[in-house]
Amino acid sequence: MAVPNESLEHIALCPGAFDPITEGHIDIIRRASEMFGGIIVAVAESADKKLLFSLAERVQMAKEACRDLPNVEVHGFQGLVVEYAQQQGAIAMIKGLRAVSDFEREMQMALMNRRQAPHIHTVFLVAHSDYTFLSSSLVKELAALGGDVKELVPAAVLEPLYEKLKDPSAQDN
Ligand code: ADP
């Protein structure tokens, strides 16, 4: 028999903007939670994109959406993701790969992160075929046009999303 995998004692980070969290993210977080002892969903304060929700709102929605996953915690963070991973005692960062288009950017980030922190691994999980088309941006676009996003986001996201889209002045986070 193979030696039991020590990774079950380790912590991994699932970093991202989660603006808002989608079923695609949840699928990756759930599978990561089966591979590691603990998962920290690390919600980045500012990503290099225009965000609809504040950090507190994104953290709150993610917390509710992950409530049924016992070894998953959700935290907001600022600054370099590898530094945050080290602070939290994580050994890995988990990223979802949807399509070839994700690969180039993710590869670049993984190599840059390795330069900054050689002991933090980047682990890529292949997106579920049901969610390869799914992104937070697409959800926001669809919802803004009155489309049905019920099956694309956790229940905790629906109300905040429609509320936010009703009030254009609230969209400048
Ligand atoms: P997005 O790329 O949708 O704006 P984030 O910045 O929040 O989302 O991404 C965080 C992580 O989640 C990234 O590794 C991204 O590749 C992954 N991810 C996002 N959407 C999906 C999906 N539908 N399936 C699998 N992984 C995903």
Side-chain angles (χ1 to χ4, degrees), residues 14-29 31 42 44 47-49 51 58 94-98 102 106 109 123-128 130-138 140 152:
C14 287
F18 304 103
D19 185 50
I21 194 162
T22 68
E23 289 295 347
H25 293 128
I26 296 289
D27 176 58
I28 296 290
I29 294 164
R31 284 190 283 135
D48 53 351
K49 33 187 162 183
L51 300 171
R58 288 178 282 133
I94 316 285
K95 306 304 292 284
L97 280 186
R98 283 163 289 194
D102 275 347
E106 292 292 350
M109 274 204 294
V123 176
F124 291 117
L125 293 184
V126 174
H128 192 292
D130 286 353
Y131 303 129
T132 43
F133 66 93
L134 182 55
S135 68
S136 299
S137 339
L138 202 60
K140 287 180 279 189
L152 306 180

Side-chain angles (χ1 to χ4, degrees), residues 67-116:
R67 214 170 25 199
D68 296 339
L69 300 170
N71 60 341
V72 174
E73 283 183 15
V74 179
H75 297 290
F77 77 100
Q78 298 175 315
L80 279 183
V81 67
V82 281
E83 275 178 14
Y84 186 67
Q86 279 171 322
Q87 270 170 29
Q88 297 298 313
I91 65 150
M93 296 193 298
I94 316 285
K95 306 304 292 284
L97 280 186
R98 283 163 289 194
V100 182
S101 52
D102 275 347
F103 183 79
E104 205 174 329
R105 171 90 184 122
E106 292 292 350
M107 186 74 180
Q108 201 181 17
M109 274 204 294
L111 293 174
M112 187 54 85
N113 285 334
R114 187 187 285 166
R115 276 179 70 102
Q116 311 275 322

